[in-house]
Structure formats: C-alpha cells, structure tokens
Amino acid sequence: MQLYILCGASSEIANAYFTTLHKRINTGHIVTISRGEFKASFNESVSNEISHQHFITDYSEQSLSGIAKELAGGHYDLAQLMIFNGLLHDPDNAPERKLEQISEQHFINSMTTNALLPIRCVGLFSTLLKPQVSTVVCALSARVGSISDNKLGGWYSYRASKAALNMLFKSAAIELSRRYKKCHCVLFHPGTTDTPLSKPFQANVPEGKLFTPEFVAEQLYSLISDADFLQQSQNPAYFDWQGKPIDW
C-alpha cells in the first residue's frame, strides 16, 4: 500500500492537502504529523481503501525516529513525504524591514522551523525509501528564498531560512538520487495563501493573487503527481503554484 506522510499537518494548506488526497487517490495510508491533535477527517466506512493515522510529535530526532520505525513495520511504499511546517512571524516578531530589527531568537526560530526541521524529516523518513519505488519529497519553500530574485531586501530571517532550506534540499537531492533514482525532491512556492501566516500582509496582494488553501493543495497535488512534469524538472525542482521554475 502506498504511504503519504504529511508533516506540519496542523497548517491550513496541509489540511487542504489531506482532503485533496482523500479525493484524488483510490487506495493508500495517509499519515499526519503535528504537535497537537489533527482535526480534519473523512468517513473511512465510505473510503475503506484509504486509512489514516495521526502522530503527535515535538519534532525531535527521537520522536520522528520512533514514528519512522513504526511505519517501517507496515510494509508501505512511500509515495509522498510532504513537509508543510513554516514560520514567518510570531506574536513578538514581524518580518524585519531594517537591519537593526534582526532578533537573534527570531532568527534561530526561523532557521529551526523553516530549514532544520524539514531536513530532519527528510533524513529520518528517508529510511522508508526504496530503490524501486517512485517517491516525491516535498517542502514548502518561498520565492523570497531565491537569492537571485531578491530585489526588495528585508525579511532577513525568513529569506535566509528559506534559502537555507533550498540549499539543504539541493544537497539531499544529490545524495538521495545516488541510492534512490526514483526519488524526486521538490521545493514548492504556494503563492500568497489565505492563512494566518500571510494574514498581516494581505492588504497589498493584487486581486486574484490571494489563493485559498484548497486551490493551492490541488495545484500542488496535480504538479507532483505528473510524472512527465517531474521528469523534465530539475532535482530538486523549485517551482511555484503554476509549475513555473524559480531561479535559485
């Protein structure tokens, strides 16, 4: 049975992706992982060939390793490892507009959530990869993580952490492709999505450019499920919600 792992499952995009999976796949085991309970659900009596399992984690190496070991005993084929975790702001910190606004703790928190946590998930769940199985390993990146695309400056912690994520995925893709030639790594820019992460910055979004989580989830699923599209993309692929590549 194919396995779908959704890390950061408490986010709106992850919830929407969970629903998209339920609609788009016929069989499979969906695993959701988050720091708390998972609220989205579906009627398993109707979809009796799709099962769901939720794990609560603190995202420590010990916790994630335990989840990976439990899943390894299920004899699954890992189809997708999706990482939806992300941090842009918190009650005490907004994206920096000036150099003097850089906060050491916010910078560390951004790096931990946006870069270290995703690559830790990749490393620990890579034990579920199999050479003969096609697998997509995907994390939510952002266009502002592109060094060449940076024309406005600012947002130091977020930009740096997403650029770090991109570099980590580049290295991981090189390593994983040596052992698992059917594994494709993806960095996905969802665009401005109507979630708490973007809420303080939606006022200046052009009309038609504020997307629902449901729209983003459908776009993401369609793109990473297109084998021809992935075959023609780099590994890792770095593209937006339209499937257009983003310069590194």
Side-chain angles (χ1 to χ4, degrees):
M1 179 178 284
Q2 288 194 312
L3 174 65
Y4 301 82
I5 300 176
L6 279 57
C7 299
S10 61
S11 77
E12 282 75 5
I13 296 177
N15 269 260
Y17 195 81
F18 177 87
T19 302
T20 296
L21 276 179
H22 177 227
K23 292 190 300 183
R24 300 287 290 268
I25 65 176
N26 296 317
T27 63
H29 185 57
I30 305 174
V31 169
T32 51
I33 299 172
S34 66
R35 296 184 186 274
E37 299 293 337
F38 184 68
K39 297 179 180 179
S41 63
F42 59 85
N43 189 340
E44 292 195 31
S45 65
V46 175
S47 304
N48 56 9
E49 294 189 49
I50 302 176
S51 55
H52 172 229
Q53 185 177 14
H54 181 65
F55 292 94
I56 295 177
T57 181
D58 61 0
Y59 289 105
S60 65
E61 183 174 346
Q62 180 180 7
S63 175
L64 293 176
S65 179
I67 296 171
K69 288 178 181 177
E70 182 171 339
L71 293 175
H75 305 290
Y76 300 113
D77 290 338
L78 181 58
Q80 295 180 6
L81 171 59
M82 311 296 295
I83 304 165
F84 295 98
N85 306 76
L87 172 68
L88 174 57
H89 55 85
D90 58 39
D92 299 318
N93 297 277
E96 311 94 336
R97 296 179 180 276
K98 300 178 181 179
L99 285 165
E100 54 266 32
Q101 293 175 336
I102 296 174
S103 156
E104 178 179 357
Q105 192 56 56
H106 182 57
F107 184 87
I108 292 171
N109 291 343
S110 298
M111 281 290 181
T112 298
T113 301
N114 296 332
L116 178 59
L117 189 156
I119 204 65
R120 177 182 289 156
C121 290
V122 174
L124 294 174
F125 289 118
S126 68
T127 57
L128 302 175
L129 293 171
K130 299 175 183 177
Q132 72 276 18
V133 175
S134 296
T135 304
V136 173
V137 176
C138 176
L140 295 190
S141 186
R143 192 180 303 277
V144 296
S146 165
I147 293 176
S148 61
D149 188 72
N150 184 0
K151 306 295 192 299
L152 297 176
W155 289 35
Y156 289 91
S157 297
Y158 191 67
R159 285 186 187 276
S161 62
K162 289 299 186 179
L165 171 67
N166 292 352
M167 180 59 81
L168 290 168
F169 256 61
K170 177 66 175 180
S171 292
I174 292 171
E175 178 181 347
L176 292 175
S177 65
R178 294 177 183 143
R179 291 178 283 165
Y180 309 102
K181 297 191 181 302
K182 293 188 175 183
C183 176
H184 206 112
C185 294
V186 171
L187 294 154
F188 178 70
H189 169 60
T192 305
T193 310
D194 190 10
T195 67
L197 183 143
S198 71
K199 192 69 70 178
F201 316 102
Q202 293 179 6
N204 296 322
V205 177
E207 185 176 353
K209 292 298 184 180
L210 179 63
F211 307 126
T212 66
E214 292 74 21
F215 171 78
V216 170
E218 287 285 346
Q219 290 295 108
L220 174 56
Y221 180 85
S222 297
L223 290 167
I224 67 173
S225 300
D226 187 334
D228 291 336
F229 172 74
L230 285 184
Q231 187 66 31
Q232 296 167 13
S233 302
Q234 297 181 23
N235 190 12
Y238 181 27
F239 53 76
D240 67 11
W241 55 275
Q242 302 172 94
K244 293 184 178 180
I246 300 172
D247 292 334
W248 299 90

